[in-house]
């Protein structure tokens, strides 16, 4: 008999947290570069109090599930039901043939559960039928109707319940079966409530503010801040690029920092020869030790002939994202006698910010001449250098 199994409830189809382009249920959405479900599972998989992990999912999400966690050592997932309560019951029933002594039931949407919370819940089960992590309510609670305060509720006995909620397996399975037979079974909003209805002894253990349930975009942002804040790994990369001018031609504009600028002489190169974006791409690649622009987009490859350089920059940003990181800031200096950069500087910042999905105040574009010295000073070409600061999770 296994001692303790973690049951992760991930059958919800909620896409409430998602942006307009997001159609995945939130548990499969990346959180600092990893599917939220994967982070949630990882908290239990490596925990000394947990022997095995089973996910309750929905077959509709099979492909998402496989791509998020198929390489992890998990029990096979089981199909959930129409409500969270039904999903938990199906998960418990799936364990009944070889029942564990204890089960920890946890929401997939709480990926930041601390190891100490899991330990405290499991430890409490040595002496109690159930245990729930809970937090006191620091704010004064108002009774409000139609915007008008009717009174103040005593919060002396009020606590916020989190998960994992732990139980002796046989007790919670019996309680869930009873709950399922009730007319108003949907009134149960968590497993502790089902245990309470059976009169089981459920105690609280200290919860944790970081163990929040992630629902909205703001929650995602806060969770990413917490994750990145836990283990900061800040890196800087630099890049440099030069392209020469060709003879005056019919093409009367050049690309510089993603913006087309009128100029009588073309810039010579394999792609669109945007020195600003090339230098910046190399800076980002440098910050994550991923080679240089030529190793990702070889000039010998015909696919990149005349390519728009925002493709290169977006690729570098994607590599940062895949590492669970984020670009903090970038700074490009254009070196040339001509064309004049300043009239286009704000458009360049905005364009780079768009490509990198950054606020524009995290992007800087500057320009200088070289006082007519050297090949840039003779206006034989145009150069750029760039610095990028990237923040990665530790161990990435
Ligand atoms: Mg180049």
């Amino acid at each position: 008999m296994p001692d303790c199994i973690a049951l992760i409830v991930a059958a919800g189809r909620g896409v409430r947290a998602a942006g307009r382009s997001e159609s995945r249920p939130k548990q499969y959405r990346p959180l600092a570069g990893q599917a939220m479900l994967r982070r949630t599972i990882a908290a239990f998989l490596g925990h000394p109090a947990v022997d095995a992990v089973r996910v309750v999912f929905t077959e509709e999400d099979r492909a998402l599930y496989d791509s998020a966690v198929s390489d992890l050592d998990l029990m096979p997932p089981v199909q959930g039901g129409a409500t969270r309560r039904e999903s938990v019951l199906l998960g418990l029933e799936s364990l009944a043939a070889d029942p564990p002594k204890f089960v920890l039931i946890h929401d997939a949407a709480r990926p930041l559960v601390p190891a100490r919370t899991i330990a405290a819940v499991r430890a409490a089960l040595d002496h109690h039928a159930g245990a729930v992590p809970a937090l006191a309510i620091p704010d004064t609670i108002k009774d409000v109707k139609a915007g008008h305060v009717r009174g103040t509720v005593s919060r002396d006995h009020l606590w916020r319940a989190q998960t994992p909620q732990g139980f002796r397996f046989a007790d919670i399975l019996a309680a869930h079966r009873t709950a399922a037979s009730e007319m108003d079974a949907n009134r149960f909003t968590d497993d502790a409530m089902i245990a309470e209805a059976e009169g089981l002894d459920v105690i609280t253990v200290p919860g944790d503010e970081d163990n929040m349930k992630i629902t909205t975009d703001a929650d995602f942002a806060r969770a990413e801040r917490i994750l990145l804040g836990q283990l900061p790994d800040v890196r800087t990369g630099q890049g440099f690029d030069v392209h020469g001018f060709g003879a005056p031609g019919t093409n009367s504009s050049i690309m510089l920092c993603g913006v087309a600028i009128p100029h009588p002489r073309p810039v010579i190169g394999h792609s669109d020869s945007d020195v600003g974006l090339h230098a910046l791409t190399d800076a980002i690649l440098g910050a994550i030790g991923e080679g240089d622009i030529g190793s990702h987009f070889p000039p010998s490859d015909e696919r990149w002939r005349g390519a728009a350089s925002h493709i290169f920059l977006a690729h570098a940003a994607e590599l940062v994202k895949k590492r669970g990181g984020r670009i903090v800031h970038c700074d490009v200096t254009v070196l040339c006698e001509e064309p004049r950069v300043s009239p286009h500087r704000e458009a360049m910042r905005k364009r780079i910010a768009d490509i990198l999905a950054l606020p524009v105040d995290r992007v800087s574009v500057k320009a200088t001449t070289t006082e007519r010295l050297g090949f840039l000073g003779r206006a034989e070409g145009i150069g750029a250098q760039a610095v990028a600061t990237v923040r990665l999770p530790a161990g990435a």
Side-chain angles (χ1 to χ4, degrees), residues 240-243 268-271 273-279 282 293 309 312:
F240 179 74
D241 195 31
V242 171
H243 284 259
I268 303 304
H270 189 71
S271 65
S273 305
D274 185 329
V275 288
L277 295 194
H278 291 187
D282 266 354
I293 194 167
S309 296
F312 308 151

Side-chain angles (χ1 to χ4, degrees), residues 245 265 337-338 370 372-381:
F245 287 130
R265 296 162 69 194
E337 298 292 333
E338 58 180 61
T370 57
R372 304 210 168 272
L373 296 170
F375 64 92
L376 295 170
R378 292 189 297 271
E380 293 169 9

Side-chain angles (χ1 to χ4, degrees), residues 142-153:
K142 295 296 182 190
D143 177 4
V144 177
K145 188 170 187 187
H148 294 271
V149 174
R150 300 198 300 186
T152 300
V153 179

Side-chain angles (χ1 to χ4, degrees), residues 7-89:
L7 198 60
I8 312 286
V9 190
R13 301 286 297 156
V15 292
R16 193 166 17 147
R20 267 162 300 178
S21 62
E22 185 65 62
S23 59
R24 285 170 289 195
K26 65 180 177 180
Q27 60 270 35
Y28 296 105
R29 187 172 160 190
L31 181 65
Q34 274 184 21
M36 179 158 78
L37 176 62
R38 188 180 178 91
R39 291 191 177 278
T40 306
I41 288 170
F44 289 87
L45 209 50
H47 198 284
V50 177
D51 298 310
V53 178
R54 164 158 279 170
V55 177
V56 185
F57 80 148
T58 175
E59 276 292 347
E60 269 180 85
D61 297 336
R62 171 65 77 169
L64 290 168
Y65 177 88
D66 284 346
S67 86
V69 301
S70 63
D71 58 320
L72 301 179
D73 184 16
L74 301 171
M75 299 173 76
V78 294
Q79 172 70 37
T83 65
R84 185 187 181 283
R85 182 191 58 75
E86 288 173 37
S87 293
V88 173
L89 177 55

